[in-house]
Amino acid sequence: MKARTGLFFAAALAAALLQIGFLAWMIQARADILRHGREVRLKVEPVDPRDLLRGDYVRLGYGISVLPKTLFSTPPAGTLAEGAIVLVDVQADEKGLFQPVAMHLPQGAPPPDEKSVRLRGALRSGLSPATDRVRLRYGIERFYLPEGEGRAIEADMRKRSFYVIAAVSAAGQAQIKAFQDGDTTLYQEPLY
């Protein structure tokens, strides 16, 4: 009986350690992107600021979220399913805002040039040969705010320009690093 209890305890401890290790790995991966990723500044557009379970947030849209299919370096042959990965190269314009310059499918994509930052996006809806626009999500479409501030910021976003500073890993994964009202930083994301 004692051996069975000991085995059960060891299995439970191993499962707990695996879960803690996985969570620590996720947190560290995000912190590494924020710490070492290349920064891009993107102009944002509001969508809707509330989540009943998680509090106020600003749902963000970007000029790089809907792109013309003509930006593909090699147009896709056939149809692409929702969720398919697309790589988007962005470069800073004269105002320091990053704009799309090219799109690639992961297989056979040329390396980005030194002026470009490559973002990894996923198709929000399928892409067929008849489609002329590509709709993408990058995983930076929500920014959570302190309780009660979502509506005020949403109203302000309709009156003046807001920006996101995103850190981008070498693999193209983006994390929001800062949220700005013009040149004023409203929120800075902590590493941990």
Side-chain angles (χ1 to χ4, degrees):
M1 187 74 157
K2 280 192 173 211
R4 193 174 192 181
T5 304
L7 184 59
F8 175 75
F9 179 73
L13 181 62
L17 289 174
L18 280 173
Q19 290 175 348
I20 291 169
F22 181 71
L23 288 173
W25 173 77
M26 287 175 47
I27 292 167
Q28 185 60 40
R30 182 180 184 284
D32 282 345
I33 294 171
L34 292 174
R35 185 180 296 122
H36 303 295
R38 289 181 65 186
E39 288 187 1
V40 297
R41 187 173 193 221
L42 303 168
K43 186 173 182 188
V44 297
E45 304 157 357
V47 182
D48 182 7
R50 243 138 320 285
D51 181 334
L52 294 174
L53 299 175
R54 296 169 92 181
D56 283 0
Y57 71 93
V58 178
R59 188 165 168 205
L60 306 169
Y62 302 94
I64 61 170
S65 294
V66 180
L67 299 174
K69 195 171 162 180
T70 56
L71 280 178
F72 271 111
S73 57
T74 304
T79 303
L80 295 175
E82 179 179 339
I85 301 302
V86 174
L87 306 174
V88 179
D89 292 345
V90 295
Q91 290 182 359
D93 64 13
E94 64 280 349
K95 296 177 183 176
L97 295 174
F98 280 73
Q99 305 297 333
V101 294
M103 283 190 298
H104 315 279
L105 294 175
Q107 42 295 38
D113 65 33
E114 60 188 46
K115 293 189 295 185
S116 294
V117 176
R118 181 162 287 169
L119 290 164
R120 181 182 171 96
L123 289 177
R124 285 192 318 204
S125 57
L127 183 66
S128 70
T131 309
D132 62 341
R133 296 213 146 315
V134 180
R135 297 182 187 321
L136 300 165
R137 63 179 173 271
Y138 299 93
I140 54 173
E141 286 76 23
R142 286 185 180 191
F143 186 75
Y144 287 88
L145 301 162
E147 186 76 30
E149 294 185 21
R151 285 197 191 274
I153 288 177
E154 179 190 41
D156 289 344
M157 287 176 76
R158 299 191 190 288
K159 297 175 189 170
R160 55 187 187 272
S161 296
F162 280 71
Y163 304 93
V164 157
I165 304 294
V168 183
S169 73
Q173 185 179 3
Q175 295 288 333
I176 295 176
K177 193 170 188 175
F179 186 67
Q180 298 179 322
D181 180 352
D183 290 330
T184 304
T185 299
L186 297 177
Y187 301 101
Q188 182 84 27
E189 282 293 308
L191 289 179
Y192 296 100

